[in-house]
Each structure stands twice: as structure tokens, then as C-alpha cells.
């Protein structure tokens, strides 16, 4: 397992953020999970099995690819892409799903539930459940099921039951509510594979640790390739799992700057975006204390993003901490900027990114030309865009 991080504390606090804000009925399950994870991460057999699956089933290590034409086109810093889009199932999500299914097996839990936004985490979970012969139920907002129909079909082929959630905005937040309700009811037989660095302790820490492999590999690959560390890391931030996975192994390297890119939607106006650090406030949502988009009465605000995977009112608690500390800065890209970046990467590099990923690409497109040519950027290419092709085609009239 990676070196033990100093954060969070035993109750999951990253400074004032994080914690365990859950109903009493879930505390026993979360404590069991925390204890099992603690044992597993010190168990060489667990690490060996996970490393083998990451290599032979998921396809790690993923390449660090020099985007030469994009670099030339932009005329500034050298851009490298960490190719998480090449992983089995098409995004970084499988790193965490594999880790958690092994934990579920250690706990003797044969029923798996998950929430999903864009469907990538649902597909990753359905995949690892199929491989392990476990029953799998995935909760998904009805709106997301419509915009990500391909992933719904994939989950069904993998043997998962996909339950449409029609409450509220019928997107990710409501899907998490339903998954938590299921977990409370079936906690003795069921493990909840949460899909981002979100929710109650131990999830933000555990999900981060399962994704640290991204940054560990990228660090080694950049040292091999350029004989020095990168100057800037860029990743999109929904809950924050692909970003924390890339950033975490570089946090002690003072020369490495990091930028998390949130969903600016149609601009920073109430209900039109999902950029929690632009107008969000300290609040509690779905198990954790963090920056949350709320209205004047403290109600959770509506969110909007062209990408279902970034469309969520809260951000992972460690990102709130990193933002306060100034170690990581956060910016946003709008729907239009992300859609333009989606096209640019496809045309210039032959890589169709996920719309989530396109937010990070959009930031790189803005930033690279402002930096000297000897600077090195790593953009986390968190997923591939197959799932988004029909939505983008409709948008561009292709
Ligand atoms: C789910 C997803 C995201 C957003 O989730 P994080 O936890 O913030 O990483 C980003 N990119 C892709 C491709 C995704 O599938």
C-alpha cells in the first residue's frame, strides 16, 4: 500500500472538513469497513491481489503520453496526458471498484450496491461484481439514465440491476440518497461501493488511496521521460477522486503546482453550474462536511453541467482542505469550453475524451500558451468519451 498519509485523523477529518455525518444505523457498517480497510492495507496478500488485478484485468500501468500536436498547436508548455481513459471500462473508476470489491469479499458481503452519475462508476462496479459473482444493484438518476443510455445498457449486460431514481433533480445526489437508504436496510449482507472521494469516513481516504496509483505512476513516468518532476498538474473535479489520485503523491513536491477544474456549466449563476468553490458554503451533505452549493436558506441548490459526472452539489472534503491550505488551486470550465476542448482533443490528438475530462483539457488549452516551452504539464485524461458521443453529436449537429 502507499505510504500512510498523515490525513485524515481517525474520525476522517481533513482539518475542519470530512467526518462521519450518517444515521446511527450506518455507524456499525462504517466502523467495520474502516477496520477491514486498515487490516487490508497492511496485508501484503491484499496488495498483491489488487496489484495483479490492476495489471491483468484493468490494464495498468496506463501510459503517460506526450501530446505533441496539441503542444505545438498551443505554443507553450509541454502537455502530457495520463491515459486513464485506456483502462478497462473506460475511466479511472475501475481502480477504486477493484479495491472495494476485494474488501467486500474479505467482509463476506456478497451483495453490492452503488450510485452512478455518468454511469462510469456503475459500469466499473457492475464489472467487478460480475467478475466476483456478486449480486449488483446500481442507483441512477432518471435524467442521467437518459443522457447516458449506453452505460445503462452496459450495466445490464454485466448483470446489474439499474434502478431509476426519479426524486428531486433525478441526478447523482438523489441516486446517492437511494443507495444510502438501501444500505441502511440491507447492511448485514451488502457493501456500498461509493464512487468518489466523497461521503462519510472512511470513503474519502480509502477511495483516494485506491486512486493514488495514478499519481505514483505519473511521477515515475515523468522522471523517466524528462528526468524531472512536472510543473503543473491539471484534473477535473466532480467528487474529486481522479484529481486526488493524481495530486496526492506530489503534495510534498513544493515545485509542482496543481489545479482542479470544476464544472462551470452555463456560468456562475445560481442553479446553472456545479463549481462548489465559486459560491459554495461550508455545509454537510451525504455524510461529510465540505463546500456545498446551497441557497440563502441552506437548501441544496440545483446544479447543472453538460457532464453528468461533474454534476454534484458537494466536493470531496480533502479538496476543501487543500484549497484552504493554498496547496491546490481550483478553477472552472464552462459547458461550452468543455465541448470545444472535446472536439479539439479528438481532432488534434485522435483521442475522444469524456466530457468530464474535457473540462481539464479546456483548462490546459487556456493555460499552456501562457507558460514557457520548458514547462511540463500533466493533464489527467480521466476517461474516454464513447459514452458522450451521441450527446456531443446532437450538440454540434454532426
Ligand atoms: C466520474 C468521472 C469523473 C468525476 O469524478 P471524480 O471523482 O471527480 O474523478 C471524471 N472523469 C471521468 C471520466 C469520470 O468517469
Amino acid at each position: 500500500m502507499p505510504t500512510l498519509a498523515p490525513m485524515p485523523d481517525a474520525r476522517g477529518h481533513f482539518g475542519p472538513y470530512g467526518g462521519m455525518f450518517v444515521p446511527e444505523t450506518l455507524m456499525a457498517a462504517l466502523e467495520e469497513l474502516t477496520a477491514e480497510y486498515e487490516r487490508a492495507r497492511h496485508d501484503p496478500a491484499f496488495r498483491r491481489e489488487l496489484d495483479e488485478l490492476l495489471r491483468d484485468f484493468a490494464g495498468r500501468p496506463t501510459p503517460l503520453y506526450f501530446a505533441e500536436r496539441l503542444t505545438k498547436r498551443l505554443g507553450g508548455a509541454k502537455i502530457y496526458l495520463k491515459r486513464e481513459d485506456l483502462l478497462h471500462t473506460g475511466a479511472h473508476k475501475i481502480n477504486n471498484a477493484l479495491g472495494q470489491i476485494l474488501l467486500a469479499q474479505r467482509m463476506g458481503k456478497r451483495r453490492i450496491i452503488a450510485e452512478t452519475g455518468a454511469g462510469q462508476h456503475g459500469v466499473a462496479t457492475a464489472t467487478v461484481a460480475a467478475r466476483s459473482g456478486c449480486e449488483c444493484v446500481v442507483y441512477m438518476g432518471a435524467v442521467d439514465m437518459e443522457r447516458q443510455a449506453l452505460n445503462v445498457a452496459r450495466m445490464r449486460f454485466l448483470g446489474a440491476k439499474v434502478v431509476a431514481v426519479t426524486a428531486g433533480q433525478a441526478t447523482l445526489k438523489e441516486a446517492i440518497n437511494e443507495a444510502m437508504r438501501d444500505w441502511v436496510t440491507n447492511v448485514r449482507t451488502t457493501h456500498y461501493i461509493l464512487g468518489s472521494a466523497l461521503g462519510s469516513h472512511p470513503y474519502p481516504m480509502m477511495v483516494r488511496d485506491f486512486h493514488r496509483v495514478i499519481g505514483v505512476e505519473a511521477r515515475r513516468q515523468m522522471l523517466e521521460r524528462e528526468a524531472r518532476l512536472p510543473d503543473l498538474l491539471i484534473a477535473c473535479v466532480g467528487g474529486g477522486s481522479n484529481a486526488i489520485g493524481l495530486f496526492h503523491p506530489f503534495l510534498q513536491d513544493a515545485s509542482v503546482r496543481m489545479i482542479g477544474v470544476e464544472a462551470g456549466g452555463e456560468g456562475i449563476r445560481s442553479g446553472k453550474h456545479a463549481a462548489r468553490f465559486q459560491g459554495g458554503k461550508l455545509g454537510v451533505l451525504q455524510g461529510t462536511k465540505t463546500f456545498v452549493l446551497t441557497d440563502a436558506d441552506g437548501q441544496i441548490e440545483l446544479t447543472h453541467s453538460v457532464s453528468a459526472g461533474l454534476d454534484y452539489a458537494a466536493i470531496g472534503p480533502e479538496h476543501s482542505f487543500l484549497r484552504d491550505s493554498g496547496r491546490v488551486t481550483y478553477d472552472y470550465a464552462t459547458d461550452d469550453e468543455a465541448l470545444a476542448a472535446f472536439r479539439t482533443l479528438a481532432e488534434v490528438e485522435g483521442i475522444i475524451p469524456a466530457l468530464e475530462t474535457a473540462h481539464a483539457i479546456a483548462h490546459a488549452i487556456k493555460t499552456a500558451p501562457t507558460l514557457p516551452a520548458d514547462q511540463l504539464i500533466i493533464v489527467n485524461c480521466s476517461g474516454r468519451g464513447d459514452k458522450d458521443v451521441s450527446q456531443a453529436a446532437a450538440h454540434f449537429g454532426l
Side-chain angles (χ1 to χ4, degrees):
M1 223 47 197
T3 45
L4 297 187
M7 294 279 238
D9 71 10
R11 303 299 283 174
H13 296 101
F14 300 88
Y17 305 107
M20 303 178 89
F21 293 87
V22 293
E24 202 60 41
T25 40
L26 280 183
M27 278 310 280
L30 287 166
E31 271 157 13
E32 179 191 10
L33 179 60
T34 307
E36 191 59 50
Y37 176 60
E38 203 50 40
R39 277 192 294 276
R41 72 170 174 176
H42 292 108
D43 179 353
F46 176 81
R47 189 67 238 179
R48 204 175 317 119
E49 188 175 5
L50 181 54
D51 283 346
E52 243 170 61
L53 285 170
L54 287 170
R55 185 189 67 211
D56 299 339
F57 187 68
R60 302 212 74 90
T62 61
L64 183 69
Y65 165 71
F66 174 41
E68 190 172 2
R69 289 194 74 226
L70 184 65
T71 297
K72 282 214 180 89
R73 161 87 61 109
L74 297 172
K78 275 176 100 166
I79 300 175
Y80 282 87
L81 303 177
K82 180 59 175 162
R83 297 293 308 276
E84 295 297 294
D85 59 309
L86 293 177
L87 286 173
H88 181 42
T89 70
H92 68 289
K93 299 286 195 318
I94 193 85
N95 301 325
N96 169 51
L98 281 170
Q100 287 201 46
I101 193 89
L102 294 186
L103 282 179
Q105 286 174 326
R106 286 172 71 107
M107 292 185 292
K109 298 195 172 177
R110 306 282 309 155
R111 182 174 178 272
I112 299 298
I113 60 171
E115 85 297 340
T116 198
Q120 286 303 116
H121 175 59
V123 169
T125 301
T127 297
V128 300
R131 207 200 142 266
S132 315
C134 291
E135 181 190 348
C136 181
V137 179
V138 179
Y139 293 92
M140 188 169 188
V143 167
D144 289 338
M145 283 179 76
E146 206 167 305
R147 55 181 167 175
Q148 307 282 202
L150 174 68
N151 277 341
V152 175
R154 292 169 82 197
M155 287 183 265
R156 288 182 172 147
F157 277 117
L158 291 161
K161 183 171 159 209
V162 184
V163 179
V165 180
T166 53
Q169 231 187 319
T171 58
L172 184 56
K173 170 166 62 72
E174 291 78 19
I176 296 178
N177 281 340
E178 281 312 305
M180 286 177 76
R181 202 162 299 157
D182 179 318
W183 204 26
V184 168
T185 313
N186 301 297
V187 67
R188 263 199 297 277
T189 59
T190 300
H191 175 61
Y192 177 14
I193 301 191
L194 186 68
S196 190
L198 276 175
S200 169
H201 183 65
Y203 286 103
M205 168 185 79
M206 185 174 74
V207 175
R208 171 197 75 196
D209 290 350
F210 287 141
H211 284 302
R212 279 184 96 253
V213 64
I214 304 170
V216 168
E217 285 177 10
R219 199 174 186 286
R220 189 186 69 230
Q221 290 165 321
M222 188 58 104
L223 286 172
E224 279 166 10
R225 174 88 193 222
E226 295 275 0
R228 68 180 191 85
L229 291 174
D231 300 290
L232 176 62
L233 310 177
I234 303 175
C236 66
V237 186
S241 68
N242 87 88
I244 201 71
L246 176 65
F247 295 169
H248 202 263
F250 291 94
L251 285 176
Q252 310 305 325
D253 300 309
S255 67
V256 182
R257 289 194 300 126
M258 304 174 195
I259 296 183
V261 185
E262 297 185 276
E266 293 169 8
I268 307 304
R269 286 172 303 161
S270 168
K272 298 293 182 196
H273 69 99
R276 289 65 44 103
F277 290 140
Q278 312 286 328
K281 292 191 276 293
L282 186 59
V284 171
L285 183 63
Q286 295 176 327
T288 194
K289 190 188 277 186
T290 186
F291 273 76
V292 183
L293 288 169
T294 53
D295 65 18
D297 298 327
Q299 297 294 320
I300 304 303
E301 220 160 40
L302 298 183
T303 53
H304 163 79
S305 170
V306 68
S307 70
L310 303 184
D311 199 351
Y312 183 64
I315 190 166
E318 191 165 12
H319 287 286
S320 292
F321 175 80
L322 290 170
R323 186 238 194 194
D324 279 5
S325 72
R327 182 65 190 89
V328 180
T329 53
Y330 294 83
D331 199 348
Y332 62 90
T334 63
D335 287 355
D336 286 345
E337 289 168 331
L339 283 158
F342 177 92
R343 279 203 102 155
T344 300
L345 197 69
E347 287 170 8
V348 178
E349 289 292 348
I351 297 170
I352 301 178
L355 279 173
E356 291 81 9
T357 311
H359 287 71
I361 306 290
H363 191 87
I365 289 173
K366 274 188 271 187
T367 306
T370 70
L371 298 172
D374 63 354
Q375 295 268 297
L376 306 173
I377 299 178
I378 297 177
V379 184
N380 202 7
C381 195
S382 55
R384 68 179 90 122
D386 306 31
K387 67 184 175 58
D388 300 315
V389 163
S390 68
Q391 192 188 346
H395 175 85
F396 288 112
L398 288 184

